[in-house]
Amino acid sequence: MAVQVKEREHQDVETEQLMSGCEAIAEAIRLADVDVMAAYPIRPYDGVMQAAAKLIANGKMDVEYIVADGEHSQFEIVKHACAVGSRVFVGSSGVGWFYAFEAIAVTAGLRLPVVAICGNRALDDPGAFGTEHNDSLAVRDLGWLLPWAETAQEAMDLALMAWRVGEDKRVSLPVAIGLDGAFLTHSQQIVKIPTQAAVNKFLPKFDLGDRLLHPDNPITIAPQVDQDWLMEIRMQNDQAMRKAHDVISEAHAHFKELFGRGGDSPFLDEYMTDDAEYVVFGQGTLALPMKVAIRRLRKEGHKVGLVRLKWFRPFPTQEIVKSLSRFKAVGVIDRDYSFGSPYYGGVLYNEVRSALYSLDKRPTIVGFIAGLGGREIEQPMATDIFEKTKAAAGDIKSGDTCHWIGVRS
Amino acid sequence: MSDVKETSITVEVVYRGIFQKTLAQRICRSIVLAARKRGHTGTAFARYGDSPERNGVPAKQFAVVAINNLELEASMAKYEPAVVDVTIAVDDTLVKGVESWAWYGRQPIWKPIRKDGFLLVTSTNTPDEVLAQTDTALRPYTLVIVPGGASFAGLWVFKDDHTDYRCLGALAKVSPDWVRLEDVKALIKEQTKDDGAVQSAQYGYDGAKLRPVKAGEGTSGHEVLQFEKPGWTTMRPGIIVNARKPGERNPQYKKYGARTLRPVVNFDTCIKCTMCWLDRPDECFEVTPEGHYEVVYQACIGCGICAQVCPVKDCIVMVDELKFEDHEDKWQFWKKDHDGYNKWFETKSGVSANPQVRTPPARQEGSGNANPSANPTSASGGDD
């Protein structure tokens, strides 16, 4: 049943609120005028559920809010709603995300621009609510766009970007925003809430065009195709993913113009890298303690910096090559792990090394596994990471090692 | 230059989906096992894309025999061999063309047969009658009639009427270098301990009628139905295909190739009760301006359910598909030339168009219903 939406106070004025990452996402759902969202509780994603339910109950948001019987149905519901032309939102965490895996795979295959968050959480077993990126990363080969946020503000901004980019006809792919459990989903920060008018300028109405599933537009979606058609379909999805790169750049430029935020590059956030010799590379909230360490180490005369990845898919290969080839050594910090992978490293580590493979002059890339299961990255660990990165400089083979940081023996 | 390969032989069995699946499998497996007796190796497989099979829709299974594993490799990891030495069609109506699923179009039965290869057809008709419904040959081959009608059963049952043994005997006649009659017999004896079954292989060998076919022989009367598959730049994004609009039929998949029997209608006796129209599993009836129900032969799969549910005796009669040259709807014919149509109906069906005239029983010699579940007299019964 549709609720009566009250006129928002100060609706034409940008406001500030103290809110968690989950609440910031709920605000984005309201601002984007989402038609259908589907929910099923799992921590830390359920923070969005609660925040959105509160907005609806308070008459501030009108969205079809469907509580599913499990994550698989949850993702199927929005996939189908999207096919009939609804702007949708969905999300989950950890093993709940995995329970939806079939629906997640087919959503990308069908080019339906579902926007989701993955409140990053360690995969059970053992039970741990804290953040670890293996849940989001498990879909890295399926055709989802995967941005990662550092702050609650960025969570909201990336959500608005997600609908804009995902629904763009050149892309038409689903987007899953990675939000670190607890540190981002459940920590309240000051967030600037843009005006509805500005958001409306940024986000056009969702229009599937002749792909709309409707009796007036008789189409069949997802027939059995076998080997006769499948490679062509994969090729189409690949082209869409490739185009997403430029569409993100366009959207980022427009976003900056309208809202004055977003940084220089849509893909990389560089911190104190101008004269840096040794940098760390990673994504999500681990950038925060690392920046503290950088300021401390800089005072001691170390030329250190940070490059934070904002979009893991599409992987901004050229931007990364251009950025990282400037340094003597790069420490890639993975808040994930890939058992049995090359050099027993994390996912980011191996992707970054692969991106730099053909360079004549490569920095040493050292791997670090840190903060698994939401373990805090403390300052001594950050120092350790920089020291090991610096020690590896000049010896490219020393990067064939991944260091576990802060693990008890 | 001969197209014959000295190192391997490829045999395909074209059959009616589901009804003859087990039959095709038994033939293909037996070819490999019989050839194994003289030291050859081989592989047997079904065309993966045919599964899940549809009632009556043409499907294929294959047997490849080679002198050793190295030579066999060229025939492995394939869905469908591009060229075969022998095709075995276990229902003679399959010579009207093979349309498997959508976008494959309708292909001549001999399409993959190499020059001077063999087309074995189980049939009670003469070689020339079968040839008259086979597409015009582009290269010479030999048509071989294996005695016996089409053997139909279901998915879970097998009609053990020795069709497989007769086919193996006939194969031994045309490819003795690969499948020897004594090996076929020894295999069957091992498997069945039944001398009657062994005798059926001998009967297939002795009774097979060979009819050399020259390029240019056959009929040009069948519809050409071929499609270009779209590329990634021309396909609709999002795994979308155009659906049929109301009243429109699928241009890429005609379905008539699934028929062994087709229904013919006596419009004189039709009481317009709607039963055929209601119960047909495919949308194959159109309502005429006068309220009759006419079969759309482009879309009818010959399941026989309309004839089964029709309450009027001999109003819908299932007739051997090999007796027809076209897929035209017939109601207009009846409207324009009532007597001419009724004469046509009587000629095709063998029953009188006048219900007052008694029709002799057993009008349909040798042919069961294409759908065993629609045929209450079939011993093998229903399936699914």
Side-chain angles (χ1 to χ4, degrees), chain B residues 355-378:
Chain B
Q356 304 307 317
V357 177
R358 222 179 111 79
T359 303
R363 60 180 189 271
Q364 284 292 306
E365 192 187 323
S367 53
N369 197 305
N371 181 349
S373 65
N375 183 354
T377 62
S378 165

Side-chain angles (χ1 to χ4, degrees), chain B residues 38-95:
Chain B
R38 58 176 307 183
H40 294 323
T41 187
T43 177
F45 57 101
R47 188 163 64 175
Y48 195 61
D50 285 335
S51 180
E53 293 179 8
R54 267 65 171 158
N55 283 7
V57 172
K60 293 188 175 190
Q61 294 198 27
F62 309 96
V64 183
V65 171
I67 52 170
N68 56 41
N69 281 330
L70 221 63
E71 294 297 337
L72 189 63
E73 280 175 3
S75 304
M76 304 288 282
K78 286 181 187 302
Y79 290 114
E80 182 174 9
V83 178
V84 303
D85 300 276
V86 180
T87 290
I88 302 174
V90 285
D91 174 357
D92 60 7
T93 55
L94 285 162
V95 303

Side-chain angles (χ1 to χ4, degrees), chain B residues 87-150:
Chain B
T87 290
I88 302 174
V90 285
D91 174 357
D92 60 7
T93 55
L94 285 162
V95 303
K96 293 183 81 170
V98 181
E99 186 196 21
S100 325
W101 279 64
W103 289 89
Y104 284 88
R106 191 196 64 84
Q107 298 169 348
I109 185 77
W110 46 254
K111 188 175 175 239
I113 301 176
R114 66 161 164 83
K115 181 171 173 283
D116 299 322
F118 296 91
L119 170 61
L120 277 58
V121 182
T122 60
S123 182
T124 53
N125 291 302
T126 66
D128 283 344
E129 282 169 336
V130 172
L131 188 59
Q133 287 281 22
T134 309
D135 287 88
T136 311
L138 289 184
R139 18 176 214 282
Y141 64 90
T142 300
L143 174 65
V144 181
I145 300 296
V146 183

Side-chain angles (χ1 to χ4, degrees), chain A residues 79-80 82-85 208-221, chain B residues 240:
Chain A
K79 182 194 86 179
H80 285 82
C82 189
V84 298
L208 263 177
D210 66 356
R211 293 174 53 209
L212 184 72
L213 191 61
H214 189 277
D216 294 342
N217 181 41
I219 53 172
T220 295
I221 301 181
Chain B
I240 284 173

